[in-house]
Amino acid sequence: MSNIIVAQSGGPTSAINASLIGVVRAARESETYDKIYGALHGISGVINEDFLDMTDLSDDVIIRTPASYLGSCRVKMPMVSPEDETYKKVFEIFGKYDVGAFFYIGGNDSMDTVDKLSKYAKLIGSNIRFAGVPKTIDNDLVNIDHTPGYGSAAKFIASTMLEIGYDTAVYEAQCVTIVEIMGRNAGWLTAAAALARNEYNPTPQLVYLPEVNHSVDEFIDDVKRVLEKTNNVVVAVSEGMKDKDGNYLTASDAKEDKFGHAQLSGVGKYLESVVIDRLGIKCRSVELNILQRCAGHMASETDLSEAENLGWYAVEKTIEGNTGFMASIKRVDKVDGIMDLDASVKDEYSVSFYMVELDSIANQERCVPRNWINEAGNDVTDEMLDYIRPLIQGEMEISYKNGLPIYTPIPHLTSNYTCNKANQIL
Amino acid sequence: MSNIIVAQSGGPTSAINASLIGVVRAARESETYDKIYGALHGISGVINEDFLDMTDLSDDVIIRTPASYLGSCRVKMPMVSPEDETYKKVFEIFGKYDVGAFFYIGGNDSMDTVDKLSKYAKLIGSNIRFAGVPKTIDNDLVNIDHTPGYGSAAKFIASTMLEIGYDTAVYEAQCVTIVEIMGRNAGWLTAAAALARNEYNPTPQLVYLPEVNHSVDEFIDDVKRVLEKTNNVVVAVSEGMKDKDGNYLTASDAKEDKFGHAQLSGVGKYLESVVIDRLGIKCRSVELNILQRCAGHMASETDLSEAENLGWYAVEKTIEGNTGFMASIKRVDKVDGIMDLDASVKDEYSVSFYMVELDSIANQERCVPRNWINEAGNDVTDEMLDYIRPLIQGEMEISYKNGLPIYTPIPHLTSNYTCNKANQIL
């Protein structure tokens, strides 16, 4: 038997801890792995021997605790070379802790790290196994149907858009509400806003993704057209919406303020000022910001369940002898061909897992296909919505204490956290 | 028997529909009132005879549906005069519909409307009864312990701050996160952010209310001091935070952008640019915006329950012959004097209702007492937190469909809404 190290990296999501628990539980149930070490702050925690012994972890709340239980980092590993000191150090530590497998839960950069570590292992003839478990709310990884974390963010966005639809509908006066959603280059998150529409709620009437460029004139024309039918216009816009020349629609390149500070307004604030200026009606912009990725109380049960199972799958595949792969998700087509995406949406959807080559993932970005965006580029198609809808299904049961959701304390924030150096856990 | 009209006004909250249901249920159970008319868009709906017959309403979901079921308006009634055409018209309609009582659920301006209507009634010798049922997330009405709507907004703010605490804690690098919360002149909502602190989460470390002025230098000094202890600083700031001269700390008076549009950045974006400029570290600002008042999925059960009971109470008091009052909330002191505000916080807290004079409410604003803010003016005291904590207790059971919370459709948005003119309901 050997031990494993698991770590997390990249931006927080509501699902990244579910994958962590999947890895921990699978390793514990296996007859291959013994101790389970969580490295704090990603690969940095390996280099610093900053480990948490998770072998006997029995906390179920971690699954639905947002952000990274083990902390994160934004470390880019150097080019693989047999003489590189970083790799030497990392593998020395792997040896010291009798590590048989390393699991890295993260996004694009994290998959790059796993790829490099597995290539270095091959180079030096190490038989340590390396697996990547993907997560990113952006849903922009290639070779995967959708990424863990996306479904929960999409659920928060769609639910919040529905509530914004209620909020903005109460007055009779003309009003435009612009909701800015994350996504610099890919519009997956913004597309989820359209799920808020139902038989009585027509908002958001306009949805702009970064995949299609728009002039400000076109945007204003679109808004005017909607205003002919209703006084309440809600617009969902990706932070990465671009003008006809491919430049971000933002006021960030505007003049500095009286103190010389650069104005940091994004596209939402920018379009707000344009609507007020050009149409002379009330306009408000709302930026969902980091709430999209940390609203654990609104996590998708489908998302968290898949995230956990993907962690399990990664561990099982290393036990079978595989290394240098990312655990990926495939959507299983129905036998009868047609999916009924209405009330029984969840029953009709299922996924299977498979392994993909790590170097097929790194440094690539998956955007929304042009045919999932309408011709005018100001809305998404039903095909797009049918793709997202199953991912937001189901709710986690949340317990509350003193009026607030109960989450698991982050280890490095707790005063009784004493395992912050390896010599304390061995 | 006579009929009643109920209407809603002012900004949306998560609790305003609970008061509506309270009024409807109490009127229905009474032997005094017969038909229950909901006027759409506040007092405008009375003037336009835009009524919805709510007598047989049996939808429980409205209670936890955010924003105003009946729509809202921002109409200011003219000075009371026996010759005024608006009052003549309104009372003519009251007569036409055999109205015995009018209930207005709203904030400061709505109480002013009720006050004026009841004074006009007295002037012309009408015995129609008028009652105000207060709501405002701002909690800035006088002569009430706290306003319905505040508790739910406070619960959303505190929960979101806790999740932001998780999100911001994952990295090791220095980072400042500024969260801008509603409140131009009163800091009640921003104070709720401090409820996110617990035995492991120290954020937000700084809390700025509009009640105490601050120079930018003082703010930067505060942030520096916190950075000496931790790399993760979270700041809660009221949108109405002011500088030493009492001017709003905002970049809105900065120069215009390249298209001549005024920059609309609030205090959060402004302080973000100041931190980046002066401290050279990563800083992000998050504006909770209208999510604070429409997040029905995170409503406080205590808040909604009180809001409904307050509606009941108003109806009962009119049946007893009262008019021209606002239904108000008093916090009942415990017999043993000491409240245990820990796990059993909800059991230790109770309220009673009473009537207050309407003209004691209108055109006044209640701010946070100076002694509930610490001496440095950058945090709130335990007394402040003990005041808010009971108001955020308890959760509503939310049903979901297709991954989204189920709310009651807003009548004027539904295509099958046919009762939009009085002649259709009579």
Side-chain angles (χ1 to χ4, degrees):
Chain A
M1 285 176 94
S2 61
N3 304 318
I4 72 159
I5 293 175
V6 56
Q8 299 172 306
S9 186
T13 78
S14 293
I16 186 166
N17 290 331
S19 289
L20 175 67
I21 291 301
V23 168
V24 169
R25 288 181 176 165
R28 186 188 299 148
E29 290 215 358
S30 81
E31 292 175 0
T32 307
Y33 300 127
D34 183 16
K35 289 267 181 200
I36 302 159
Y37 298 127
L40 295 185
H41 296 294
I43 194 71
S44 320
V46 176
I47 294 166
N48 300 326
E49 295 181 62
D50 212 354
F51 295 128
L52 187 73
D53 188 344
M54 303 181 77
T55 314
D56 299 319
L57 185 86
S58 63
D59 178 356
D60 283 341
V61 178
I62 297 178
I63 283 192
R64 56 172 185 75
T65 296
S68 312
Y69 179 71
L70 296 173
S72 184
C73 70
R74 292 218 184 261
V75 172
K76 184 109 180 153
M77 289 293 279
M79 295 292 286
V80 177
S81 137
E83 303 309 318
D84 185 274
E85 290 303 322
T86 304
Y87 289 100
K88 278 186 185 172
K89 170 83 177 163
V90 168
F91 277 75
E92 183 193 312
I93 292 161
F94 284 158
K96 181 173 166 188
Y97 290 86
D98 191 20
V99 170
F102 175 78
F103 301 90
Y104 212 21
I105 311 166
N108 209 310
D109 287 345
S110 312
M111 297 308 123
D112 182 64
T113 297
V114 181
D115 189 31
K116 285 171 171 164
L117 288 170
S118 71
K119 281 175 176 155
Y120 183 86
K122 192 178 273 181
L123 212 59
I124 64 166
S126 159
N127 59 4
I128 299 173
R129 286 148 200 180
F130 295 88
V133 184
K135 70 84 214 160
T136 167
I137 63 163
D138 293 322
N139 200 40
D140 59 354
L141 291 192
V142 297
N143 283 339
I144 188 164
D145 181 77
H146 58 276
T147 53
Y150 172 64
S152 293
K155 186 184 184 81
F156 175 81
I157 290 166
S159 299
T160 300
M161 290 301 295
L162 177 62
E163 292 174 336
I164 288 175
Y166 273 85
D167 188 277
T168 55
V170 303
Y171 292 113
E172 291 184 294
Q174 284 193 322
C175 181
V176 178
T177 304
I178 297 164
V179 184
E180 181 181 326
I181 297 166
M182 282 181 170
R184 291 301 274 179
N185 301 310
W188 300 105
L189 288 169
T190 304
L195 289 175
R197 293 184 201 136
N198 58 28
E199 61 278 16
Y200 61 87
N201 173 39
T203 67
Q205 295 97 343
L206 297 168
V207 180
Y208 298 98
L209 312 191
E211 282 84 355
V212 180
N213 295 351
H214 290 274
S215 69
V216 170
D217 288 341
E218 284 172 344
F219 165 77
I220 288 292
D221 286 345
D222 287 349
V223 171
K224 276 185 184 165
R225 208 171 307 118
V226 180
L227 281 169
E228 285 168 13
K229 287 186 220 150
T230 176
N231 286 340
N232 177 32
V233 183
V234 180
V235 181
V237 51
S238 288
E239 59 175 337
M241 183 179 172
K242 297 178 197 76
D243 67 18
K244 281 290 180 195
D245 301 322
N247 300 315
Y248 289 120
L249 272 173
T250 160
S252 65
D253 52 353
K255 289 172 186 154
E256 294 174 338
D257 75 2
K258 58 185 172 182
F259 297 103
H261 304 124
Q263 294 297 303
L264 299 158
S265 305
V267 62
K269 284 273 175 226
Y270 177 68
L271 294 178
E272 174 187 332
S273 67
V274 172
V275 168
I276 292 171
D277 193 53
R278 302 265 285 265
L279 301 180
I281 60 174
K282 191 178 168 189
C283 184
R284 162 188 281 134
S285 67
V286 180
E287 192 184 347
L288 297 190
N289 215 307
I290 54 174
L291 277 54
Q292 292 160 81
R293 68 185 194 195
C294 67
H297 72 274
M298 187 50 99
S300 153
E301 196 264 336
T302 300
D303 184 27
L304 266 52
S305 160
E306 288 179 359
E308 182 183 356
N309 290 336
L310 205 58
W312 269 91
Y313 175 82
V315 171
E316 282 170 358
K317 285 292 146 183
T318 61
I319 292 172
E320 290 172 12
N322 300 285
T323 184
F325 67 91
M326 181 185 89
S328 187
I329 300 177
K330 191 185 291 183
R331 192 179 299 228
V332 179
D333 286 336
K334 294 292 136 189
V335 181
D336 61 9
I338 298 162
M339 290 172 72
D340 173 14
L341 285 158
D342 196 30
S344 58
V345 62
K346 207 175 161 184
D347 306 329
E348 295 289 334
Y349 160 88
S350 71
V351 294
S352 68
F353 302 133
Y354 67 116
M355 293 182 289
V356 297
E357 299 277 343
L358 282 161
D359 53 14
S360 73
I361 305 293
N363 309 317
Q364 291 190 68
E365 199 169 40
R366 184 180 57 155
C367 289
V368 174
R370 184 60 184 86
N371 62 338
W372 284 9
I373 304 169
N374 72 347
E375 208 182 316
N378 57 17
D379 203 351
V380 294
T381 66
D382 287 344
E383 206 175 354
M384 170 93 247
L385 297 182
D386 291 347
Y387 164 84
I388 314 175
R389 203 175 282 112
L391 315 180
I392 71 165
Q393 303 302 311
E395 293 75 43
M396 302 300 291
E397 204 174 298
I398 305 285
S399 301
Y400 285 75
K401 187 187 170 189
N402 273 344
L404 302 181
I406 297 176
Y407 297 126
T408 298
I410 296 180
H412 64 273
L413 289 188
T414 52
S415 53
N416 60 354
Y417 161 60
T418 52
C419 309
N420 65 328
K421 279 296 162 195
N423 54 355
Q424 291 174 271
I425 58 168
L426 290 178
Chain B
M1 284 177 94
S2 61
N3 304 317
I4 72 159
I5 293 176
V6 57
Q8 299 172 306
S9 186
T13 77
S14 293
I16 188 166
N17 290 332
S19 289
L20 175 66
I21 292 300
V23 169
V24 170
R25 287 180 177 164
R28 186 187 300 148
E29 291 215 356
S30 81
E31 292 175 1
T32 307
Y33 300 127
D34 183 17
K35 288 267 181 198
I36 302 159
Y37 298 128
L40 295 185
H41 297 294
I43 193 71
S44 319
V46 177
I47 294 166
N48 300 327
E49 295 180 65
D50 213 355
F51 295 127
L52 188 74
D53 189 342
M54 303 181 78
T55 314
D56 299 319
L57 186 86
S58 62
D59 178 356
D60 283 341
V61 178
I62 297 178
I63 283 193
R64 55 171 187 74
T65 297
S68 313
Y69 179 71
L70 297 173
S72 184
C73 71
R74 291 218 185 263
V75 173
K76 184 108 179 153
M77 289 293 279
M79 293 293 287
V80 177
S81 137
E83 303 309 317
D84 186 274
E85 290 303 323
T86 305
Y87 290 101
K88 280 186 183 171
K89 170 85 177 164
V90 168
F91 277 74
E92 182 194 313
I93 292 162
F94 285 159
K96 180 174 168 187
Y97 290 86
D98 191 19
V99 170
F102 175 78
F103 300 90
Y104 212 21
I105 311 167
N108 210 309
D109 287 344
S110 313
M111 296 309 123
D112 181 64
T113 297
V114 181
D115 189 32
K116 285 171 172 166
L117 289 170
S118 70
K119 281 175 176 156
Y120 183 86
K122 192 178 276 183
L123 212 58
I124 64 165
S126 159
N127 58 4
I128 300 173
R129 288 149 198 178
F130 295 88
V133 184
K135 70 84 215 159
T136 168
I137 63 163
D138 293 322
N139 200 39
D140 59 354
L141 291 193
V142 297
N143 283 339
I144 189 165
D145 180 78
H146 58 276
T147 53
Y150 172 64
S152 293
K155 186 183 184 82
F156 175 81
I157 290 166
S159 299
T160 300
M161 290 301 296
L162 178 62
E163 293 174 337
I164 288 175
Y166 273 86
D167 189 278
T168 56
V170 304
Y171 293 113
E172 291 184 294
Q174 284 191 322
C175 181
V176 178
T177 304
I178 296 163
V179 184
E180 181 180 325
I181 297 166
M182 282 181 170
R184 291 301 273 180
N185 300 311
W188 299 105
L189 288 169
T190 304
L195 289 175
R197 293 184 200 137
N198 58 28
E199 62 278 15
Y200 61 87
N201 173 39
T203 65
Q205 294 96 344
L206 297 167
V207 180
Y208 298 99
L209 311 191
E211 282 84 355
V212 180
N213 295 350
H214 290 273
S215 69
V216 171
D217 288 341
E218 284 172 343
F219 165 76
I220 288 292
D221 285 346
D222 286 349
V223 171
K224 275 185 187 165
R225 209 171 306 118
V226 181
L227 281 169
E228 285 168 14
K229 288 187 219 151
T230 176
N231 285 341
N232 177 32
V233 183
V234 180
V235 181
V237 51
S238 289
E239 59 175 337
M241 182 178 172
K242 298 178 196 74
D243 68 18
K244 281 290 179 195
D245 300 323
N247 301 313
Y248 290 122
L249 273 172
T250 159
S252 66
D253 53 352
K255 288 172 186 153
E256 293 174 339
D257 75 1
K258 57 186 174 181
F259 296 104
H261 305 124
Q263 294 297 304
L264 299 158
S265 307
V267 62
K269 283 272 173 226
Y270 177 67
L271 294 178
E272 173 187 333
S273 67
V274 172
V275 168
I276 291 169
D277 193 53
R278 300 265 286 266
L279 301 181
I281 60 174
K282 191 178 167 190
C283 184
R284 162 189 282 131
S285 67
V286 180
E287 192 183 345
L288 297 190
N289 214 307
I290 54 173
L291 277 55
Q292 292 160 81
R293 68 184 194 196
C294 67
H297 72 273
M298 186 52 99
S300 153
E301 196 264 336
T302 299
D303 184 27
L304 265 54
S305 160
E306 289 178 358
E308 183 184 355
N309 290 336
L310 204 58
W312 270 90
Y313 174 82
V315 171
E316 283 170 358
K317 286 291 147 183
T318 62
I319 292 172
E320 291 172 11
N322 300 285
T323 185
F325 66 92
M326 180 186 90
S328 187
I329 301 176
K330 191 185 292 184
R331 192 179 300 226
V332 179
D333 285 336
K334 292 294 133 187
V335 182
D336 61 9
I338 297 164
M339 289 172 73
D340 173 15
L341 284 158
D342 197 31
S344 58
V345 62
K346 206 174 161 184
D347 307 328
E348 296 289 334
Y349 159 87
S350 73
V351 294
S352 68
F353 302 133
Y354 67 116
M355 293 182 289
V356 296
E357 299 277 342
L358 282 160
D359 54 13
S360 73
I361 305 294
N363 309 316
Q364 291 190 67
E365 199 169 41
R366 184 180 57 155
C367 290
V368 174
R370 184 60 185 87
N371 62 339
W372 284 10
I373 303 169
N374 72 347
E375 207 182 317
N378 57 18
D379 203 352
V380 294
T381 65
D382 287 344
E383 208 175 354
M384 170 94 247
L385 297 182
D386 291 346
Y387 163 84
I388 314 174
R389 203 174 282 113
L391 315 180
I392 70 165
Q393 303 302 312
E395 293 75 42
M396 302 301 290
E397 203 175 300
I398 306 283
S399 302
Y400 285 75
K401 186 185 169 190
N402 273 344
L404 301 182
I406 296 176
Y407 297 126
T408 298
I410 296 180
H412 63 273
L413 289 187
T414 53
S415 53
N416 60 353
Y417 161 62
T418 52
C419 309
N420 65 328
K421 280 296 163 195
N423 54 355
Q424 291 175 273
I425 58 168
L426 290 177

